[in-house]
Amino acid sequence: MELQAVLMAAGGGSRMPDLTYNTPKPMLPVGNKPLMWHPLNLLERVGFEEVIVITTKEVQKMMSTDPKMKDVKMKLDVVCIQEDGDMGTADALRHIQQKIKTDVLVVSCDLITDVALHEVVDLFRAHNATLAMLMSKAHDFTETVPGQKGKKKTGEQRDFVGVDQSGKRLLFMANEADLEDGLSIRKSIMRKHPRMHIKTGLVDAHLYCLKKAVVDFLADNKSISSIRGELLPYLVRKQFSKTTNCPKSKDDADDQTQKTADGSTNSTELLICSRDEPLLQLAQERSCWNDHRGDMSEAYHGGKLRCYVHIMDQGLCYRVNTLAAYIEANRLASKLLEEPAVHPSAVISERCQMGPDSIIGAQCQVADKTSIKRSTIGNSTTVKEKVKVTNSIIMHGVTIEEGCNIHGCVICSNAVIGRGADLKYCLVGNGQQIEAEGKHRLVSRF
Amino acid sequence: MAESGVTDGLCNTDDIERSKTEGKELTKEEKQRLRKEKKQQKKNKEKNDEKTSHEGEKKKNKKKKEEQPAGSASQPPAQPSPKAVPAPAPPPPAAAAVPVPASEAPAPADKPAKSKADLKAERASKGKKGDVGQPAPTGKLKAPPSELQPVVKRLPEHVQVDNPEVVKKLAKKLERQQIPLRSDYGYKVSLFSHLHQYSRKAPLTQQLGIPSTVIHPAIVRLGLQYSQGIVAGSNARSVALLHAFQQVIRDYTTPPNEELSRDLVNKLKPYISFLNQCRPLSASMGNAIKYIKKEISNIPSQCKEEEAKIKLLNCIERYINEKIVLAAKAIAKYSIEKISDGDVILVYGCSSLVNHILCEAFEKKRKFRVIVVDSRPRLEGREALRRLVQKGISCTYVLISAVSYILPEVSKVFLGAHALLANGYVMSRVGTSQIALVAKAFNVPVLVCCETYKFCERVQTDSFVSNELDDPDDLIVTRKGKTQLEHWQKVPSLGLLNLVYDVTPPDFVDLVITDLGMIPCTSVPVVLRVKNVDQ
């Protein structure tokens, strides 16, 4: 087996507390499908047959009852962890270390993308890389976020990503928070890669191909708890560290004790060498290929640890971890899905005006003289007459009485919007009731 | 019994191939034989004796004797129903005594044809074997006289891309093996439209699922490395191929009711097709595959799986050690004798063997300097330059357009080879034949260094029939921000040609240095013959 897929679905959605108040983030509906359905669909389309899903008990319960999750034909091996939030992604990987038998493909549950996955995996295969990840050019979210007054907060700190001239090899990765004194780059990196492109406007898709040796390394190094925050910068730095680049005498897999002679306390060296190292070395020596030119070093500068990144400049790639991203994703979900926009079991009267961008869920009832444009309507929702819904996301089981005007809102499950209500850019929580004839603008109602 | 049948079959195939190629060289003698036998057409027994004695002096293998009369006995049913051939093929030489009907006369001339029918039957019974592992008969057999049955001309599929039926057959075969078909890219120059031309930006992995279940991951990785050019050079490709096979063998488990010797060979077939789709196999790879398949088939059935696997892994190690590593040492030893102090040596491109020789010679304290000639679009000379300069050898770097200006300085030319063909032609990177030509014009000795495992039973006299077309987009270059050829596909009369190999005639080559010694170019078929007998 070549790759094992692991889906991280235990995240709390800390950046959109309003939405995840009642529904855990992996089960938030996007395009009328739970959020975690999208990465699972991506994996299924590409050809995976089994996925290990790391999630909480609550989500597991919801998964088993949700009909959309039954569409997933892959075998889902669900591993439950505690919900207290202390467990980082790396901790979760360590937790399932026994199940990992080969290289892993780690995906986050909030990734919605149409990337050709073979681009990332090909980098991983061809260069025998330790890490291959996916990044995308960030898109600005232009829509007004409901429930937020004032300017959009720039709460996100920038990520600095340094790539080499080909744009594939990852040389430098740091978050603004870690760079208090400024960005410093080691001389050894500059000597090996004199031309480096540093990019800041990139979104990390949290899709990583990791070698099995990395998972074993994590098992021994309990101090690393987050893949993105700690493991990745460590691996990127380690590419140029002296110890990894000097191959010690024997390359025998049994000879691990020699490798642990590292200066740092108790941490095992990352064992990159494989059993057949001599033959691979011979093939590389005889091959007339080099990944760089201009200096006297061999291919890869003799380094065994290599990190690669595939930067998408076209196509969809969203991480649904903020409200703005959630709304944007819903808007574009109709483009991603191959199903018809209107579910066959929905009852829609003829005098309803429906725009092409809208998605209507199962068992909906839409009455006469309604207008639904650029919106997503969840399952079992009732929309009465003379309602105008634009640019909104309506989740499941919502009742919208007559004459309402809803613009740019997010209305969570089982809410009831009273008759004649006028809502603009509002966020209505689960089970809330908006009184009749209410006029609200930029309000969050819980 | 079944075991020996398989090995018999394989030996027969080898014999048949040998007879096919030798048949090409013996056409004149064949014709003479034909005339002789036409005279004796009525006398059955004498004909038999003569044929067996005739074959006996031509072929050294005893099995051949068995096969010929048996084959000829089956000749009449062979043509209409090739499938019946394997059945009468093994019968004992008693068939020789059986009076043979009149159609036996064309037997020797049709021996290649009947053997081809034999071969066809063998293939049909074993399941279609990839053409790549075998020396490609270029179908240049002279057509026998019209009264004889028509010769079945078999061209390998990779030189018949413009024939839609062949392409369809290939597509069907790949579909059966569950391997995606790689589609050709761009307009092909008409003279080379019979060859495949792929784009590097459209790898075969696009159509494969992730994770790959049909093809072993080591093979997928290897295919990717081939198609992206990360593993390039015939030695490197062979070593990487054998390494990948080692991993396949390690992960292999015999399914129940199957024999390792047969099942493993069948498992390797789709992998070889896949690698062929990623990048056409080289002659050295073909020979390595033949060796491996032979070793696998020779595993006795009572051997336990673990033992068999260890044996195969050791075989691979030994092959690499003997044919590549030790051969390089031997060739270096011979070559150093030819390098004298004060020499100016010209090398072309990046040949791992030539680089090794020069480094060894430098370590043995010979005083020489090197001129590295390079050519677009691969610009492999830069890598050769780096390796030589790193050792401390003083080098000059020129492009191939300057070769005639620099040649007056040169005292020797060392060239590497991709393969040495059976008629003495040297197949190497495109541009080599030009260097050899110019060197000949300047009376500079040309020495070709080649290991014996790259010797190929194919025959080629030109670079058109069988070659490799690389990605045409490699020829596009951006200077000062402008890419003139960016939209070359839109110009209907423009075709970009990126050839990879060319053949150098033996008249331009003065010496071939192999691990068996220093031989003239025309002795290559002798080496092949000796090698085959040894095996």
Side-chain angles (χ1 to χ4, degrees), chain A residues 283 286-289, chain B residues 226 229-239 279 282 284-285 350-352 378 380 417-418 429 453-454 501:
Chain A
R286 298 299 167 110
S287 169
C288 52
W289 177 85
Chain B
Y226 282 164
I230 295 176
V231 176
S234 53
N235 278 341
R237 285 166 76 186
S238 308
V239 172
R279 191 177 164 189
S282 65
S284 54
M285 287 166 70
C350 184
S351 164
S352 54
R378 283 177 174 242
E380 290 169 334
H418 169 89
R429 184 69 81 224
Y453 87 107
K454 289 187 198 160
Y501 299 116

PDB file of all heavy atoms in Angstrom, chain A residues 283 286-289, chain B residues 226 229-239 279 282 284-285 350-352 378 380 417-418 429 453-454 501:
ATOM      1  N   ALA A 283      22.259   4.653  -8.235  1.00  0.00           N
ATOM      2  CA  ALA A 283      21.439   5.140  -9.357  1.00  0.00           C
ATOM      3  C   ALA A 283      21.531   6.654  -9.458  1.00  0.00           C
ATOM      4  O   ALA A 283      21.626   7.208 -10.558  1.00  0.00           O
ATOM      5  CB  ALA A 283      19.987   4.700  -9.175  1.00  0.00           C
ATOM      6  N   ARG A 286      24.874   7.682 -10.945  1.00  0.00           N
ATOM      7  CA  ARG A 286      25.042   7.438 -12.371  1.00  0.00           C
ATOM      8  C   ARG A 286      24.105   8.273 -13.212  1.00  0.00           C
ATOM      9  O   ARG A 286      24.251   8.382 -14.409  1.00  0.00           O
ATOM     10  CB  ARG A 286      24.785   5.960 -12.682  1.00  0.00           C
ATOM     11  CG  ARG A 286      25.725   4.998 -12.023  1.00  0.00           C
ATOM     12  CD  ARG A 286      27.142   5.229 -12.462  1.00  0.00           C
ATOM     13  NE  ARG A 286      28.090   4.525 -11.637  1.00  0.00           N
ATOM     14  CZ  ARG A 286      28.794   3.490 -12.040  1.00  0.00           C
ATOM     15  NH1 ARG A 286      28.632   3.056 -13.258  1.00  0.00           N
ATOM     16  NH2 ARG A 286      29.628   2.907 -11.229  1.00  0.00           N
ATOM     17  N   SER A 287      23.107   8.857 -12.562  1.00  0.00           N
ATOM     18  CA  SER A 287      22.129   9.616 -13.329  1.00  0.00           C
ATOM     19  C   SER A 287      22.687  10.995 -13.635  1.00  0.00           C
ATOM     20  O   SER A 287      23.349  11.600 -12.809  1.00  0.00           O
ATOM     21  CB  SER A 287      20.842   9.731 -12.516  1.00  0.00           C
ATOM     22  OG  SER A 287      19.985  10.653 -13.110  1.00  0.00           O
ATOM     23  N   CYS A 288      22.418  11.500 -14.821  1.00  0.00           N
ATOM     24  CA  CYS A 288      22.980  12.795 -15.175  1.00  0.00           C
ATOM     25  C   CYS A 288      21.968  13.888 -14.916  1.00  0.00           C
ATOM     26  O   CYS A 288      21.722  14.739 -15.759  1.00  0.00           O
ATOM     27  CB  CYS A 288      23.432  12.790 -16.626  1.00  0.00           C
ATOM     28  SG  CYS A 288      22.164  12.233 -17.729  1.00  0.00           S
ATOM     29  N   TRP A 289      21.369  13.869 -13.758  1.00  0.00           N
ATOM     30  CA  TRP A 289      20.355  14.870 -13.439  1.00  0.00           C
ATOM     31  C   TRP A 289      20.767  15.594 -12.183  1.00  0.00           C
ATOM     32  O   TRP A 289      21.315  14.997 -11.256  1.00  0.00           O
ATOM     33  CB  TRP A 289      19.004  14.182 -13.218  1.00  0.00           C
ATOM     34  CG  TRP A 289      17.920  15.099 -12.810  1.00  0.00           C
ATOM     35  CD1 TRP A 289      17.121  15.856 -13.613  1.00  0.00           C
ATOM     36  CD2 TRP A 289      17.485  15.377 -11.488  1.00  0.00           C
ATOM     37  NE1 TRP A 289      16.217  16.571 -12.878  1.00  0.00           N
ATOM     38  CE2 TRP A 289      16.419  16.300 -11.564  1.00  0.00           C
ATOM     39  CE3 TRP A 289      17.900  14.943 -10.226  1.00  0.00           C
ATOM     40  CZ2 TRP A 289      15.757  16.791 -10.450  1.00  0.00           C
ATOM     41  CZ3 TRP A 289      17.247  15.427  -9.104  1.00  0.00           C
ATOM     42  CH2 TRP A 289      16.192  16.349  -9.225  1.00  0.00           C
TER      43      TRP A 289
ATOM     44  N   TYR B 226      11.461   8.404 -14.246  1.00  0.00           N
ATOM     45  CA  TYR B 226      11.862   8.291 -15.647  1.00  0.00           C
ATOM     46  C   TYR B 226      11.259   9.419 -16.464  1.00  0.00           C
ATOM     47  O   TYR B 226      11.931  10.089 -17.238  1.00  0.00           O
ATOM     48  CB  TYR B 226      11.370   6.970 -16.245  1.00  0.00           C
ATOM     49  CG  TYR B 226      12.188   5.764 -15.879  1.00  0.00           C
ATOM     50  CD1 TYR B 226      11.677   4.494 -16.060  1.00  0.00           C
ATOM     51  CD2 TYR B 226      13.469   5.877 -15.376  1.00  0.00           C
ATOM     52  CE1 TYR B 226      12.401   3.372 -15.739  1.00  0.00           C
ATOM     53  CE2 TYR B 226      14.194   4.761 -15.044  1.00  0.00           C
ATOM     54  CZ  TYR B 226      13.660   3.507 -15.226  1.00  0.00           C
ATOM     55  OH  TYR B 226      14.375   2.394 -14.905  1.00  0.00           O
ATOM     56  N   GLY B 229      12.743  12.726 -15.911  1.00  0.00           N
ATOM     57  CA  GLY B 229      14.162  12.855 -16.210  1.00  0.00           C
ATOM     58  C   GLY B 229      15.046  12.875 -14.980  1.00  0.00           C
ATOM     59  O   GLY B 229      16.222  13.204 -15.073  1.00  0.00           O
ATOM     60  N   ILE B 230      14.490  12.512 -13.824  1.00  0.00           N
ATOM     61  CA  ILE B 230      15.299  12.512 -12.612  1.00  0.00           C
ATOM     62  C   ILE B 230      16.295  11.356 -12.649  1.00  0.00           C
ATOM     63  O   ILE B 230      17.412  11.451 -12.159  1.00  0.00           O
ATOM     64  CB  ILE B 230      14.391  12.412 -11.379  1.00  0.00           C
ATOM     65  CG1 ILE B 230      13.534  13.670 -11.288  1.00  0.00           C
ATOM     66  CG2 ILE B 230      15.186  12.230 -10.101  1.00  0.00           C
ATOM     67  CD1 ILE B 230      12.540  13.633 -10.182  1.00  0.00           C
ATOM     68  N   VAL B 231      15.888  10.259 -13.229  1.00  0.00           N
ATOM     69  CA  VAL B 231      16.806   9.143 -13.426  1.00  0.00           C
ATOM     70  C   VAL B 231      17.020   9.044 -14.923  1.00  0.00           C
ATOM     71  O   VAL B 231      16.126   8.670 -15.666  1.00  0.00           O
ATOM     72  CB  VAL B 231      16.202   7.839 -12.881  1.00  0.00           C
ATOM     73  CG1 VAL B 231      17.106   6.667 -13.181  1.00  0.00           C
ATOM     74  CG2 VAL B 231      16.007   7.945 -11.387  1.00  0.00           C
ATOM     75  N   ALA B 232      18.201   9.437 -15.368  1.00  0.00           N
ATOM     76  CA  ALA B 232      18.475   9.458 -16.809  1.00  0.00           C
ATOM     77  C   ALA B 232      19.861   8.885 -17.032  1.00  0.00           C
ATOM     78  O   ALA B 232      20.732   9.015 -16.186  1.00  0.00           O
ATOM     79  CB  ALA B 232      18.397  10.876 -17.345  1.00  0.00           C
ATOM     80  N   GLY B 233      20.054   8.282 -18.186  1.00  0.00           N
ATOM     81  CA  GLY B 233      21.331   7.612 -18.418  1.00  0.00           C
ATOM     82  C   GLY B 233      21.096   6.124 -18.311  1.00  0.00           C
ATOM     83  O   GLY B 233      20.435   5.666 -17.389  1.00  0.00           O
ATOM     84  N   SER B 234      21.638   5.323 -19.231  1.00  0.00           N
ATOM     85  CA  SER B 234      21.208   3.920 -19.277  1.00  0.00           C
ATOM     86  C   SER B 234      21.633   3.146 -18.038  1.00  0.00           C
ATOM     87  O   SER B 234      20.881   2.298 -17.550  1.00  0.00           O
ATOM     88  CB  SER B 234      21.724   3.239 -20.537  1.00  0.00           C
ATOM     89  OG  SER B 234      23.109   3.425 -20.642  1.00  0.00           O
ATOM     90  N   ASN B 235      22.816   3.448 -17.488  1.00  0.00           N
ATOM     91  CA  ASN B 235      23.230   2.720 -16.281  1.00  0.00           C
ATOM     92  C   ASN B 235      22.318   3.044 -15.113  1.00  0.00           C
ATOM     93  O   ASN B 235      21.854   2.158 -14.399  1.00  0.00           O
ATOM     94  CB  ASN B 235      24.664   3.088 -15.901  1.00  0.00           C
ATOM     95  CG  ASN B 235      25.669   2.299 -16.708  1.00  0.00           C
ATOM     96  OD1 ASN B 235      25.338   1.268 -17.268  1.00  0.00           O
ATOM     97  ND2 ASN B 235      26.887   2.790 -16.786  1.00  0.00           N
ATOM     98  N   ALA B 236      22.044   4.339 -14.946  1.00  0.00           N
ATOM     99  CA  ALA B 236      21.209   4.752 -13.818  1.00  0.00           C
ATOM    100  C   ALA B 236      19.825   4.135 -13.937  1.00  0.00           C
ATOM    101  O   ALA B 236      19.240   3.666 -12.951  1.00  0.00           O
ATOM    102  CB  ALA B 236      21.109   6.269 -13.779  1.00  0.00           C
ATOM    103  N   ARG B 237      19.295   4.123 -15.154  1.00  0.00           N
ATOM    104  CA  ARG B 237      17.947   3.580 -15.328  1.00  0.00           C
ATOM    105  C   ARG B 237      17.921   2.092 -15.022  1.00  0.00           C
ATOM    106  O   ARG B 237      16.983   1.585 -14.397  1.00  0.00           O
ATOM    107  CB  ARG B 237      17.474   3.838 -16.753  1.00  0.00           C
ATOM    108  CG  ARG B 237      17.070   5.283 -16.978  1.00  0.00           C
ATOM    109  CD  ARG B 237      16.930   5.603 -18.447  1.00  0.00           C
ATOM    110  NE  ARG B 237      15.701   5.068 -18.991  1.00  0.00           N
ATOM    111  CZ  ARG B 237      15.386   5.114 -20.278  1.00  0.00           C
ATOM    112  NH1 ARG B 237      16.203   5.638 -21.145  1.00  0.00           N
ATOM    113  NH2 ARG B 237      14.243   4.620 -20.711  1.00  0.00           N
ATOM    114  N   SER B 238      18.955   1.372 -15.447  1.00  0.00           N
ATOM    115  CA  SER B 238      18.954  -0.068 -15.156  1.00  0.00           C
ATOM    116  C   SER B 238      19.069  -0.324 -13.676  1.00  0.00           C
ATOM    117  O   SER B 238      18.360  -1.176 -13.126  1.00  0.00           O
ATOM    118  CB  SER B 238      20.126  -0.759 -15.856  1.00  0.00           C
ATOM    119  OG  SER B 238      20.140  -0.445 -17.196  1.00  0.00           O
ATOM    120  N   VAL B 239      19.953   0.414 -13.012  1.00  0.00           N
ATOM    121  CA  VAL B 239      20.122   0.189 -11.570  1.00  0.00           C
ATOM    122  C   VAL B 239      18.827   0.504 -10.846  1.00  0.00           C
ATOM    123  O   VAL B 239      18.379  -0.252  -9.969  1.00  0.00           O
ATOM    124  CB  VAL B 239      21.279   1.055 -11.021  1.00  0.00           C
ATOM    125  CG1 VAL B 239      21.320   0.959  -9.518  1.00  0.00           C
ATOM    126  CG2 VAL B 239      22.598   0.623 -11.605  1.00  0.00           C
ATOM    127  N   ARG B 279       8.290   6.014 -20.106  1.00  0.00           N
ATOM    128  CA  ARG B 279       9.389   6.349 -21.003  1.00  0.00           C
ATOM    129  C   ARG B 279       9.819   5.060 -21.682  1.00  0.00           C
ATOM    130  O   ARG B 279       9.992   4.049 -21.014  1.00  0.00           O
ATOM    131  CB  ARG B 279      10.541   6.933 -20.197  1.00  0.00           C
ATOM    132  CG  ARG B 279      11.574   7.520 -21.136  1.00  0.00           C
ATOM    133  CD  ARG B 279      12.722   8.180 -20.518  1.00  0.00           C
ATOM    134  NE  ARG B 279      13.749   8.308 -21.563  1.00  0.00           N
ATOM    135  CZ  ARG B 279      14.975   8.695 -21.340  1.00  0.00           C
ATOM    136  NH1 ARG B 279      15.354   8.971 -20.123  1.00  0.00           N
ATOM    137  NH2 ARG B 279      15.834   8.775 -22.325  1.00  0.00           N
ATOM    138  N   SER B 282      15.064   1.295 -22.356  1.00  0.00           N
ATOM    139  CA  SER B 282      16.349   1.314 -23.045  1.00  0.00           C
ATOM    140  C   SER B 282      16.816  -0.116 -23.269  1.00  0.00           C
ATOM    141  O   SER B 282      16.279  -1.050 -22.695  1.00  0.00           O
ATOM    142  CB  SER B 282      17.377   2.073 -22.210  1.00  0.00           C
ATOM    143  OG  SER B 282      17.619   1.389 -21.004  1.00  0.00           O
ATOM    144  N   SER B 284      19.583  -1.457 -22.310  1.00  0.00           N
ATOM    145  CA  SER B 284      20.146  -2.026 -21.087  1.00  0.00           C
ATOM    146  C   SER B 284      19.043  -2.514 -20.163  1.00  0.00           C
ATOM    147  O   SER B 284      19.142  -3.582 -19.551  1.00  0.00           O
ATOM    148  CB  SER B 284      21.005  -0.985 -20.369  1.00  0.00           C
ATOM    149  OG  SER B 284      20.270   0.193 -20.141  1.00  0.00           O
ATOM    150  N   MET B 285      17.971  -1.760 -20.078  1.00  0.00           N
ATOM    151  CA  MET B 285      16.844  -2.186 -19.252  1.00  0.00           C
ATOM    152  C   MET B 285      16.234  -3.453 -19.820  1.00  0.00           C
ATOM    153  O   MET B 285      15.853  -4.362 -19.084  1.00  0.00           O
ATOM    154  CB  MET B 285      15.779  -1.100 -19.204  1.00  0.00           C
ATOM    155  CG  MET B 285      16.166   0.083 -18.373  1.00  0.00           C
ATOM    156  SD  MET B 285      15.094   1.473 -18.657  1.00  0.00           S
ATOM    157  CE  MET B 285      13.592   0.930 -17.919  1.00  0.00           C
ATOM    158  N   CYS B 350      26.916  13.643 -20.903  1.00  0.00           N
ATOM    159  CA  CYS B 350      27.250  13.122 -19.588  1.00  0.00           C
ATOM    160  C   CYS B 350      27.097  11.609 -19.602  1.00  0.00           C
ATOM    161  O   CYS B 350      26.008  11.097 -19.406  1.00  0.00           O
ATOM    162  CB  CYS B 350      26.332  13.735 -18.533  1.00  0.00           C
ATOM    163  SG  CYS B 350      26.743  13.245 -16.866  1.00  0.00           S
ATOM    164  N   SER B 351      28.201  10.907 -19.839  1.00  0.00           N
ATOM    165  CA  SER B 351      28.136   9.446 -19.787  1.00  0.00           C
ATOM    166  C   SER B 351      28.755   9.011 -18.467  1.00  0.00           C
ATOM    167  O   SER B 351      29.887   9.372 -18.162  1.00  0.00           O
ATOM    168  CB  SER B 351      28.916   8.847 -20.951  1.00  0.00           C
ATOM    169  OG  SER B 351      29.162   7.486 -20.696  1.00  0.00           O
ATOM    170  N   SER B 352      28.016   8.255 -17.687  1.00  0.00           N
ATOM    171  CA  SER B 352      28.510   7.894 -16.355  1.00  0.00           C
ATOM    172  C   SER B 352      29.795   7.088 -16.468  1.00  0.00           C
ATOM    173  O   SER B 352      30.712   7.232 -15.657  1.00  0.00           O
ATOM    174  CB  SER B 352      27.448   7.106 -15.602  1.00  0.00           C
ATOM    175  OG  SER B 352      27.020   5.998 -16.354  1.00  0.00           O
ATOM    176  N   ARG B 378      19.144  19.256 -23.769  1.00  0.00           N
ATOM    177  CA  ARG B 378      19.370  18.633 -22.469  1.00  0.00           C
ATOM    178  C   ARG B 378      20.491  19.285 -21.677  1.00  0.00           C
ATOM    179  O   ARG B 378      20.452  19.321 -20.459  1.00  0.00           O
ATOM    180  CB  ARG B 378      19.696  17.160 -22.666  1.00  0.00           C
ATOM    181  CG  ARG B 378      18.449  16.422 -22.957  1.00  0.00           C
ATOM    182  CD  ARG B 378      18.716  14.982 -23.240  1.00  0.00           C
ATOM    183  NE  ARG B 378      17.444  14.310 -23.367  1.00  0.00           N
ATOM    184  CZ  ARG B 378      17.031  13.336 -22.574  1.00  0.00           C
ATOM    185  NH1 ARG B 378      17.815  12.900 -21.627  1.00  0.00           N
ATOM    186  NH2 ARG B 378      15.858  12.779 -22.746  1.00  0.00           N
ATOM    187  N   GLU B 380      23.375  18.235 -20.919  1.00  0.00           N
ATOM    188  CA  GLU B 380      23.902  17.321 -19.908  1.00  0.00           C
ATOM    189  C   GLU B 380      25.373  17.554 -19.650  1.00  0.00           C
ATOM    190  O   GLU B 380      25.899  17.124 -18.624  1.00  0.00           O
ATOM    191  CB  GLU B 380      23.726  15.874 -20.382  1.00  0.00           C
ATOM    192  CG  GLU B 380      22.293  15.429 -20.385  1.00  0.00           C
ATOM    193  CD  GLU B 380      22.132  14.116 -21.112  1.00  0.00           C
ATOM    194  OE1 GLU B 380      22.964  13.814 -21.983  1.00  0.00           O
ATOM    195  OE2 GLU B 380      21.176  13.396 -20.815  1.00  0.00           O
ATOM    196  N   ALA B 417      27.998   4.990 -24.728  1.00  0.00           N
ATOM    197  CA  ALA B 417      26.991   4.420 -25.615  1.00  0.00           C
ATOM    198  C   ALA B 417      25.752   4.053 -24.831  1.00  0.00           C
ATOM    199  O   ALA B 417      25.821   3.641 -23.686  1.00  0.00           O
ATOM    200  CB  ALA B 417      27.540   3.181 -26.314  1.00  0.00           C
ATOM    201  N   HIS B 418      24.623   4.198 -25.481  1.00  0.00           N
ATOM    202  CA  HIS B 418      23.373   3.741 -24.890  1.00  0.00           C
ATOM    203  C   HIS B 418      23.213   2.260 -25.185  1.00  0.00           C
ATOM    204  O   HIS B 418      22.741   1.500 -24.350  1.00  0.00           O
ATOM    205  CB  HIS B 418      22.241   4.563 -25.497  1.00  0.00           C
ATOM    206  CG  HIS B 418      20.886   4.053 -25.192  1.00  0.00           C
ATOM    207  ND1 HIS B 418      20.176   4.435 -24.095  1.00  0.00           N
ATOM    208  CD2 HIS B 418      20.092   3.182 -25.837  1.00  0.00           C
ATOM    209  CE1 HIS B 418      19.017   3.833 -24.079  1.00  0.00           C
ATOM    210  NE2 HIS B 418      18.934   3.051 -25.140  1.00  0.00           N
ATOM    211  N   ARG B 429      23.529   9.178 -27.470  1.00  0.00           N
ATOM    212  CA  ARG B 429      22.796  10.431 -27.437  1.00  0.00           C
ATOM    213  C   ARG B 429      22.914  11.156 -28.771  1.00  0.00           C
ATOM    214  O   ARG B 429      23.962  11.093 -29.419  1.00  0.00           O
ATOM    215  CB  ARG B 429      23.393  11.298 -26.309  1.00  0.00           C
ATOM    216  CG  ARG B 429      22.695  12.601 -26.055  1.00  0.00           C
ATOM    217  CD  ARG B 429      21.319  12.421 -25.463  1.00  0.00           C
ATOM    218  NE  ARG B 429      21.341  12.186 -24.034  1.00  0.00           N
ATOM    219  CZ  ARG B 429      20.595  11.257 -23.448  1.00  0.00           C
ATOM    220  NH1 ARG B 429      19.800  10.489 -24.145  1.00  0.00           N
ATOM    221  NH2 ARG B 429      20.651  11.102 -22.154  1.00  0.00           N
ATOM    222  N   TYR B 453      26.619  -5.634 -21.105  1.00  0.00           N
ATOM    223  CA  TYR B 453      25.197  -5.866 -20.917  1.00  0.00           C
ATOM    224  C   TYR B 453      24.350  -4.907 -21.753  1.00  0.00           C
ATOM    225  O   TYR B 453      23.146  -5.061 -21.850  1.00  0.00           O
ATOM    226  CB  TYR B 453      24.814  -5.789 -19.440  1.00  0.00           C
ATOM    227  CG  TYR B 453      24.490  -4.423 -18.907  1.00  0.00           C
ATOM    228  CD1 TYR B 453      23.183  -4.077 -18.611  1.00  0.00           C
ATOM    229  CD2 TYR B 453      25.481  -3.492 -18.666  1.00  0.00           C
ATOM    230  CE1 TYR B 453      22.874  -2.832 -18.107  1.00  0.00           C
ATOM    231  CE2 TYR B 453      25.182  -2.251 -18.172  1.00  0.00           C
ATOM    232  CZ  TYR B 453      23.877  -1.919 -17.885  1.00  0.00           C
ATOM    233  OH  TYR B 453      23.578  -0.686 -17.385  1.00  0.00           O
ATOM    234  N   LYS B 454      24.994  -3.917 -22.367  1.00  0.00           N
ATOM    235  CA  LYS B 454      24.247  -3.022 -23.244  1.00  0.00           C
ATOM    236  C   LYS B 454      24.250  -3.490 -24.688  1.00  0.00           C
ATOM    237  O   LYS B 454      23.699  -2.805 -25.542  1.00  0.00           O
ATOM    238  CB  LYS B 454      24.877  -1.628 -23.204  1.00  0.00           C
ATOM    239  CG  LYS B 454      24.655  -0.903 -21.913  1.00  0.00           C
ATOM    240  CD  LYS B 454      25.165   0.508 -22.054  1.00  0.00           C
ATOM    241  CE  LYS B 454      25.356   1.126 -20.704  1.00  0.00           C
ATOM    242  NZ  LYS B 454      26.251   2.256 -20.728  1.00  0.00           N
ATOM    243  N   TYR B 501      18.114   9.877 -29.504  1.00  0.00           N
ATOM    244  CA  TYR B 501      19.236   8.996 -29.852  1.00  0.00           C
ATOM    245  C   TYR B 501      19.616   9.131 -31.311  1.00  0.00           C
ATOM    246  O   TYR B 501      18.815   9.562 -32.139  1.00  0.00           O
ATOM    247  CB  TYR B 501      18.857   7.541 -29.568  1.00  0.00           C
ATOM    248  CG  TYR B 501      18.537   7.273 -28.131  1.00  0.00           C
ATOM    249  CD1 TYR B 501      17.262   6.879 -27.745  1.00  0.00           C
ATOM    250  CD2 TYR B 501      19.493   7.432 -27.148  1.00  0.00           C
ATOM    251  CE1 TYR B 501      16.965   6.645 -26.429  1.00  0.00           C
ATOM    252  CE2 TYR B 501      19.200   7.203 -25.825  1.00  0.00           C
ATOM    253  CZ  TYR B 501      17.933   6.811 -25.476  1.00  0.00           C
ATOM    254  OH  TYR B 501      17.633   6.586 -24.164  1.00  0.00           O
TER     255      TYR B 501
END
